Amino acid sequence: MLLVEDEVALAGSIARGLEAEGFSVDVVHDGHDGFSRAMDHPYAAIILDLLLPGMNGYKVARELRAAGNWTPILVLTAKTGEYDEAEALDTGADDFLSKPFSFVVLLARLRALLRRGSTPRPPTISAGTLVLDPYTRSVQRRGAEVHLTAREFGVLEALLRRQGGVASKQEILDEVWGAEFPGDPNIVEVYIRYLRKKLDVPFGLDTIETVRSAGYRVVSDEVPGAAADGAAGVVTDA
């Protein structure tokens, strides 16, 4: 078990409690040290503070996940806001516990994480310089992050998963809005326009194509002749 906590007295108290429960615990007080230890040793779980010197806990979690380290992470922090919790989970943490906390609850949550084990990150999906990460729900074009709404993300994911194939309007509706969606099916056209404005227009590209009487597809901006052959949707292990 790795404990990354900059409050020395608190870290010592937690470590002693965990050791009394049979856990072996390594303690560090700095974000950089926590990241290095986590990368160098196969810990069963990590207890991670957010307000750390050197590298904050958000960045530690994000960098570990980006490096392919899927050790379960329990964030333990004095930050209590719902946005703090959402950000911690979005950057790669598996659970969130605010200070002050019950040690009994801390133990229960750790045991739950250990039962769950390390979950591999789902692969990213790309079409040329357009990369979608289902785990972090993030999208990049030419290395720049593009912020999408939940619906926009869903439509793009539906397109990219076809790997260059065509997604019909009805298929997109069923996957993103649900089969029982009572609204106007032309809502798909609206979201396709939103995606083009965010993903194509700023980069001088035209990769989200309309296929007459069939639907839509994404073509690669890096493969010569992509618009003709529809090469897209490369799936890559992150």
Side-chain angles (χ1 to χ4, degrees):
M1 184 84 61
L2 175 64
L3 172 59
V4 189
E5 168 61 65
D6 67 329
E7 295 182 45
V8 177
L10 176 60
S13 176
I14 294 172
R16 288 190 295 272
L18 292 174
E19 288 167 351
E21 294 292 326
F23 293 102
S24 176
V25 184
D26 287 341
V27 180
V28 294
H29 307 293
D30 175 275
H32 286 297
D33 290 342
F35 175 79
S36 297
R37 287 287 190 95
M39 290 299 296
D40 290 342
H41 302 280
Y43 291 104
I46 300 168
I47 303 173
L48 179 65
D49 190 14
L50 292 180
L51 301 176
L52 294 167
M55 180 190 295
N56 67 46
Y58 295 121
K59 188 171 183 180
V60 172
R62 184 183 299 111
E63 293 296 322
L64 286 174
R65 298 315 190 216
N69 185 313
W70 299 104
T71 303
I73 296 174
L74 170 62
V75 164
L76 184 64
T77 178
K79 297 174 80 66
T80 59
E82 60 183 16
Y83 291 105
D84 298 314
E85 181 174 357
E87 184 176 358
L89 296 173
D90 284 344
T91 54
D94 299 280
D95 200 357
F96 185 98
L97 186 60
S98 295
K99 302 173 184 175
F101 61 94
S102 161
F103 187 73
V104 172
V105 172
L106 173 65
L107 277 176
R109 294 196 176 195
L110 279 175
R111 292 187 180 115
L113 287 182
L114 293 174
R115 287 194 299 271
R116 190 183 312 164
S118 298
T119 304
R121 179 177 183 165
T124 60
I125 314 168
S126 65
T129 63
L130 178 61
V131 181
L132 179 147
D133 189 333
Y135 185 85
T136 61
R137 296 190 65 80
S138 62
V139 174
Q140 292 189 348
R141 169 72 92 180
R142 292 179 177 170
E145 186 167 0
V146 180
H147 297 283
L148 302 182
T149 66
R151 295 286 195 200
E152 291 166 350
F153 186 94
V155 173
L156 180 61
E157 185 174 16
L159 293 172
L160 285 175
R161 288 198 181 281
R162 265 65 181 184
Q163 300 190 35
V166 176
S168 71
K169 186 183 295 184
Q170 190 60 52
E171 287 173 332
I172 295 172
L173 273 175
D174 290 347
E175 292 183 27
V176 181
W177 280 267
E180 304 302 320
F181 176 66
D184 187 346
N186 289 327
I187 190 69
V188 174
E189 297 176 13
V190 174
Y191 276 81
I192 291 294
R193 289 199 297 271
Y194 292 161
L195 287 174
R196 285 171 173 155
K197 287 180 180 179
K198 290 185 177 183
L199 297 170
D200 277 354
V201 173
F203 301 92
L205 299 172
D206 187 18
T207 60
I208 301 175
E209 293 187 338
T210 299
V211 181
R212 189 183 300 274
S213 301
Y216 305 94
R217 68 179 175 185
V218 176
V219 297
S220 174
D221 58 319
E222 287 193 329
V223 180
D229 61 24
V234 178
V235 178
T236 306
D237 288 334

